[in-house]
């Protein structure tokens, strides 16, 4: 179990390192790297919503 846990954490670290490399080379923005999986509304990710609205409203309880 300990080996599996260590391997999982190492995989996560490698993924983060790869994302940071993309940011550092200007291929993606930091927000795009770290927020692509959170869907907020209408099949829109949090990153897309932040990019569309410079100052997005806080979202609480599934409503805007």
């Amino acid at each position: 179990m300990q080996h599996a846990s260590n391997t999982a954490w190492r995989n996560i670290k490698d993924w983060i390192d790869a994302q940071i490399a993309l940011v550092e080379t200007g291929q993606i923005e930091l927000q795009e790297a770290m927020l692509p999986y959170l869907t907020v509304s209408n099949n829109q990710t949090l990153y897309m919503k932040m990019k569309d609205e410079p100052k997005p409203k806080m979202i609480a309880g599934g409503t805007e």
Side-chain angles (χ1 to χ4, degrees):
M1 261 329 244
Q2 185 62 44
H3 180 69
S5 178
N6 290 345
T7 300
W9 279 111
R10 182 61 190 202
N11 288 340
I12 292 168
K13 181 197 175 300
D14 290 345
W15 182 85
I16 291 172
D17 288 344
Q19 299 305 305
I20 296 300
L22 291 171
V23 172
E24 289 176 345
T25 58
Q27 295 180 25
I28 61 175
E29 297 175 358
L30 180 62
Q31 296 87 341
E32 186 177 9
M34 299 302 162
L35 301 175
Y37 306 107
L38 180 60
T39 303
V40 291
S41 63
N42 299 328
N43 292 325
Q44 188 176 34
T45 65
L46 179 57
Y47 170 75
M48 291 185 310
K49 189 162 188 78
M50 288 173 59
K51 193 168 185 171
D52 290 344
E53 298 177 29
K55 293 185 179 182
K57 301 173 192 170
M58 294 298 292
I59 300 170
T63 62
E64 296 185 49

